[in-house]
Amino acid sequence: MRRTRLLLALLWLLVLPLAGCGSSARQTKGKAVVLGFDGVDPDLVKQWLDELPHIKKLSQSGTLMPLGTTNPPESPVAWASFATGTNPGKHGIFDFLKRDAEHYLPDIGLVEREKPEFLFDAIPIKAPKVINNRKGTPYWKQLDQHGIATVNLRMPLELPAEELEHGRSWSGLGVPDIGGTWGTYYYLASDLSAWDLSENSNTEFGGRQVLLELDGQKDSLFHAQIEGPTDPRKTPEPGQSYRIAIPVEVERNQDSTAVSIRVQGQEQNVSEGAWSEWYSFQFDIGPFVSAQGVSRFYVLETFPEVRLYLMPISFDPADPPFPISYPEEYVEDLNERYGTFKTLGWIHETWGLNEEQIDEEVFLQDLFRNMDSLERTLLDEIDAGQASVYSAVFTATDSASHMFYRLIDPQHPRYDEQLASQYGDAILRVYKRMDEVIGKVVQRIGPQDLLLVISDHGFHTWRREFNTNTWLVRNGYMFLKGMDSDPALKKLDHMFSGGSFFPNVDWSRSKAYSLGLGHIYINLKGREGQGIVEPGAEYDQLVREIRHKILQFEDPDNGERPLVNAYYYKDIYTGDNMEHAGDIQLSFKTGYRTSWQTALGAVPPNIIVANLKKWSGDHCASDIEQTSGFLVSNRRVDTPNPSIIDIAPTLYKEFGVEIPQRVDGKPISFGSVTVR
Ligand SMILES: [Zn+2]
């Protein structure tokens, strides 16, 4: 037992009820397997159906059809509706980000975090805590309360994992890396400039640039510092951060084709163009507590420069600081059974590829490894046969589609014929791997059993970025400081900023702003920190006006109208958890999306810019009607337009559990049970 565990074990015992001491699970006549594949597009499946034999076979004897999504068709929103069977107005998740209305800042939207507390900066007296922002009861909890055992693998937004009497859960999308982000990779290089190393080069969606400094004595030896979690005992001043760092040594081998990488007593020799095995990273938080992480290096170059990629550091499954599974020991058992794996929710290396630190091949090697690992756990769990409902969510389909859409869309600014000849089939390859998983699960399905394969939304190409805040400025809804001194607005461009978090915004005159992936918020009096718009008639009129006007906007380069819809939130949501909903939810036609800069509250000069990033496919601010996911089942579905919100009530009906009143979805009705 490591010292963290020794000290925190007692604390956890105080707050965690004991697992597995309840009555035994109910025997059911059949089982259900629910396979989630994030972002699988029904049109692409149709197009490639001949190459997906297991899906094709199920489509002939059972069902292949579109599955309705949520508004917006964004993964956290849709998976929250999947889990709870409720609309976003009830589960309260509207985006990856939520806004801090007091300070106009974006924040991670999925969980609240409470820091651990220490006595004398050393003795832990309170363990760190995360609180799920998803409201309502996930189906695995509801089924559990009726004696139905479930196994739930990499469940999105299941953080912390809910206590179950009969089953087990492992948290997926939403689990942060050791630094508390969705995945900050490290790029270590011996030739970084001062600009590369400045704070400007580190973005919310990027990585940390780390200088490999040449040793004073030995010209083949380099030193670097890897920064991990912030020190919870310290309160940083603005612009400061107290991250705990550990040293790394990299030594170039004699023939310069490999390097030795040394971290805290571990040493591996890794060739250029190869991955290391797992490394452990121990970040000490005072003398008694440490945060344990795991990651792997990829050696990009050994000569003339030394360049390494280090994946975001996951919490060590052998020793997570807060429960990322239920029972808490479940991930530790998986770790013992299968060896180390990533616990990070956003599991694939999208940011490293998007910033072009790693290439397509390296990205895919890691992605398929992650898929293999989850498949193995899933199949072993089904074979063990201890539950009635098995659910698992794979996100490789989504990550690959985000990164490779440019290579199936010749009109994308980043289309590249050479790359397309090598990786134009990357999305298809991941779909084929999905099809293999489905095939192996089908072998384990009997005539009494129910198989539901679903995706949470579809996909679109993303060629052009829409800067929503810039549109608001250009249309007089947002004001930047200094605009008055230049009434002709000739120098307006000087006032915009490529940075983030609303630089120069004059809140005393701004009526609206945008944050996240498609929301416009009204600067409402009494709600926003410096709100100026009166609730009632003024608010209603403003919402109507912006909705009307933004739909008329035309892309100056091609005359297209990027916006399909601008929804008023009360028209699309019902419920008691609408605090984080945008007043207006934008939806874009295929080819367009809100810019990354808008997502983080920036105001760059142009309304429309070409998307020059490898992140080239998207869905997050697309229209609900055009972005359905897919549904495959071993049974024939009679319901004409099923939606992801219907999955939870379908399982309730299947296992004879009364559907709670709060649930908005309706059970899907099936025709005859199909025998393979
Ligand atoms: Zn996605």
Side-chain angles (χ1 to χ4, degrees):
M1 243 188 177
R2 291 184 183 137
R3 56 196 177 132
T4 325
R5 297 208 58 73
L6 276 169
L7 274 157
L8 289 180
L10 272 173
L11 286 163
W12 282 122
L13 277 178
L14 294 174
V15 294
L16 275 180
L18 288 172
C21 57
S23 57
S24 61
R26 225 172 77 192
Q27 287 294 314
T28 55
K29 68 179 193 299
K31 65 177 176 289
V33 180
V34 184
L35 299 180
F37 287 95
D38 199 306
V40 170
D41 186 81
D43 294 334
L44 291 179
V45 170
K46 241 186 188 165
Q47 189 182 323
W48 294 331
L49 195 58
D50 283 340
E51 300 189 65
L52 308 169
H54 300 292
I55 294 176
K56 189 173 180 179
K57 202 168 163 193
L58 286 164
S59 78
Q60 289 158 351
S61 59
T63 295
L64 165 63
M65 68 195 299
L67 182 70
T69 179
T70 49
N71 195 351
E74 203 182 308
S75 300
V77 188
W79 288 123
S81 288
F82 159 81
T84 60
T86 64
N87 89 92
K90 288 183 187 165
H91 62 58
I93 301 287
F94 300 91
D95 202 335
F96 280 98
L97 296 167
K98 67 179 175 14
R99 63 99 165 69
D100 167 356
E102 179 65 28
H103 303 102
Y104 306 93
L105 286 173
D107 194 4
I108 287 183
L110 310 182
V111 288
E112 303 295 331
R113 291 165 290 188
E114 282 177 17
K115 292 203 293 190
E117 286 172 16
F118 295 84
L119 197 60
F120 311 122
D121 270 2
I123 302 158
I125 50 169
K126 190 177 152 224
K129 199 174 170 190
V130 288
I131 300 154
N132 203 336
N133 278 339
R134 182 197 63 203
K135 305 289 187 285
T137 309
Y139 65 76
W140 44 94
K141 177 79 177 170
Q142 187 74 20
L143 291 172
D144 188 73
Q145 285 168 349
H146 288 81
I148 312 284
T150 64
V151 169
N152 313 290
L153 305 176
R154 285 197 62 90
M155 294 317 275
L157 285 76
E158 183 60 2
L159 185 71
E162 296 243 14
E163 180 201 344
L164 298 175
E165 203 173 335
H166 310 289
R168 39 192 180 266
S169 292
W170 167 21
S171 317
L173 192 68
V175 176
D177 68 5
I178 204 152
T181 76
W182 292 320
T184 302
Y185 67 79
Y186 303 80
Y187 172 74
L188 298 84
S190 55
D191 61 343
L192 291 175
S193 67
W195 164 256
D196 291 327
L197 296 168
S198 70
E199 274 300 308
N200 297 328
S201 67
N202 293 325
T203 68
E204 182 87 9
F205 299 106
R208 283 176 189 281
Q209 318 273 324
V210 182
L211 181 65
L212 282 170
E213 257 179 289
L214 196 58
D215 185 75
Q217 313 288 319
K218 225 172 161 187
D219 66 1
S220 58
L221 183 63
F222 301 85
H223 302 274
Q225 294 282 323
I226 296 293
E227 289 188 342
T230 49
D231 191 332
R233 298 165 301 171
K234 294 186 170 143
T235 311
E237 298 289 316
Q240 266 184 331
S241 82
Y242 290 104
R243 288 196 178 268
I244 300 159
I246 55 177
V248 170
E249 266 183 25
V250 182
E251 186 162 8
R252 191 192 274 137
N253 289 12
Q254 269 188 341
D255 62 1
S256 295
T257 59
V259 288
S260 289
I261 306 169
R262 297 173 202 130
V263 182
Q264 297 179 319
Q266 307 152 81
E267 176 166 0
Q268 294 178 38
N269 204 41
V270 190
S271 300
E272 185 175 283
W275 287 95
S276 74
E277 293 301 318
W278 292 98
Y279 277 87
S280 294
F281 296 81
Q282 179 176 312
F283 297 94
D284 290 333
I285 305 164
F288 303 117
V289 177
S290 63
Q292 302 287 339
V294 292
S295 185
R296 300 165 70 143
F297 292 92
Y298 182 85
V299 179
L300 295 157
E301 183 180 330
T302 52
F303 187 83
E305 301 299 337
V306 177
R307 299 189 303 122
L308 309 178
Y309 178 80
L310 173 63
M311 297 191 301
I313 300 176
S314 275
F315 291 120
D316 187 345
D319 191 12
F322 48 80
I324 53 173
S325 66
Y326 190 89
E328 202 186 338
E329 301 74 37
Y330 183 44
V331 281
E332 297 166 34
D333 294 345
L334 293 176
N335 183 65
E336 262 171 42
R337 212 181 311 162
Y338 303 116
T340 305
F341 54 89
K342 290 194 209 180
T343 55
L344 178 59
W346 191 269
I347 192 171
H348 308 296
E349 299 303 308
T350 54
W351 312 125
L353 178 58
N354 201 38
E355 297 299 318
E356 307 195 27
Q357 309 290 21
I358 54 167
D359 66 14
E360 284 72 13
E361 194 59 41
V362 176
F363 172 84
L364 287 171
Q365 285 167 4
D366 171 70
L367 178 139
F368 284 118
R369 210 159 44 203
N370 300 331
M371 263 187 121
D372 294 348
S373 155
L374 180 53
E375 179 197 57
R376 189 177 48 196
T377 308
L378 168 69
L379 297 180
D380 286 355
E381 283 289 4
I382 298 176
D383 289 341
Q386 291 169 354
S388 294
V389 181
Y390 300 86
S391 308
V393 175
F394 292 78
T395 53
T397 35
D398 181 77
S399 297
S401 307
H402 279 298
M403 303 315 299
F404 288 95
Y405 220 100
R406 65 201 147 98
L407 302 180
I408 58 170
D409 174 17
Q411 289 180 56
H412 195 278
R414 285 303 300 268
Y415 179 77
D416 176 323
E417 213 170 314
Q418 161 80 34
L419 270 180
S421 69
Q422 270 178 288
Y423 298 106
D425 66 346
I427 302 173
L428 173 59
R429 279 162 60 192
V430 179
Y431 274 38
K432 283 178 166 172
R433 189 71 189 81
M434 159 178 78
D435 191 64
E436 285 171 22
V437 176
I438 295 169
K440 289 176 194 172
V441 170
V442 165
Q443 288 173 358
R444 291 160 167 83
I445 290 283
Q448 297 296 319
D449 301 336
L450 171 63
L451 172 66
L452 295 171
V453 184
I454 67 155
S455 67
D456 54 337
H457 53 71
F459 246 91
H460 300 276
T461 185
W462 178 26
R463 299 172 190 149
R464 296 172 73 71
E465 302 192 49
F466 185 86
N467 285 313
T468 313
N469 286 316
T470 310
W471 183 89
L472 290 169
V473 172
R474 300 277 184 201
N475 287 275
Y477 299 112
M478 180 186 259
F479 280 83
L480 302 180
K481 287 172 191 156
M483 278 170 75
D484 281 341
S485 57
D486 185 6
L489 301 183
K490 277 185 192 144
K491 290 182 191 157
L492 193 58
D493 285 357
H494 297 299
M495 287 169 244
F496 287 99
S497 156
S500 53
F501 309 140
F502 301 116
N504 307 327
V505 171
D506 182 350
W507 293 110
S508 71
R509 301 172 64 197
S510 294
K511 292 181 172 175
Y513 62 100
S514 182
L515 262 183
L517 294 172
H519 318 290
I520 292 177
Y521 300 94
I522 303 300
N523 192 20
L524 189 65
K525 218 178 223 175
R527 185 183 71 181
E528 261 68 14
Q530 301 170 59
I532 60 162
V533 176
E534 292 287 346
E538 190 189 349
Y539 169 89
D540 294 343
Q541 166 59 22
L542 181 63
V543 167
R544 259 199 307 275
E545 192 181 302
I546 292 176
R547 287 175 66 199
H548 177 74
K549 215 164 164 184
I550 203 164
L551 287 173
Q552 314 300 316
F553 173 79
E554 289 180 1
D555 183 336
D557 291 336
N558 56 23
E560 282 187 45
R561 289 189 175 176
L563 273 305
V564 177
N565 264 309
Y567 299 95
Y568 177 49
Y569 79 107
K570 286 187 180 166
D571 294 341
I572 53 174
Y573 306 129
T574 57
D576 43 9
N577 282 304
M578 302 211 273
E579 186 193 341
H580 296 296
D583 297 287
I584 299 170
Q585 173 63 46
L586 301 177
S587 74
F588 292 85
K589 73 186 288 187
T590 191
Y592 290 86
R593 202 203 81 181
T594 330
S595 64
W596 287 122
Q597 295 200 311
T598 296
L600 296 175
V603 192
N606 295 317
I607 295 177
I608 298 274
V609 287
N611 176 15
L612 299 175
K613 288 286 193 186
K614 289 190 172 179
W615 183 291
S616 50
D618 217 286
H619 52 83
C620 292
S622 301
D623 197 66
I624 178 173
E625 299 299 336
Q626 301 172 0
T627 316
S628 293
F630 86 141
L631 168 66
V632 170
S633 179
N634 61 333
R635 296 189 195 164
R636 267 193 210 291
V637 168
D638 286 344
T639 306
N641 297 302
S643 172
I644 194 159
I645 207 168
D646 301 327
I647 299 298
T650 302
L651 292 167
Y652 297 152
K653 190 178 166 201
E654 180 73 11
F655 291 96
V657 169
E658 197 187 336
I659 299 170
Q661 274 211 322
R662 197 179 160 75
V663 167
D664 297 311
K666 299 270 174 289
I668 293 171
S669 53
F670 300 105
S672 57
V673 174
T674 308
V675 183
R676 276 187 292 131

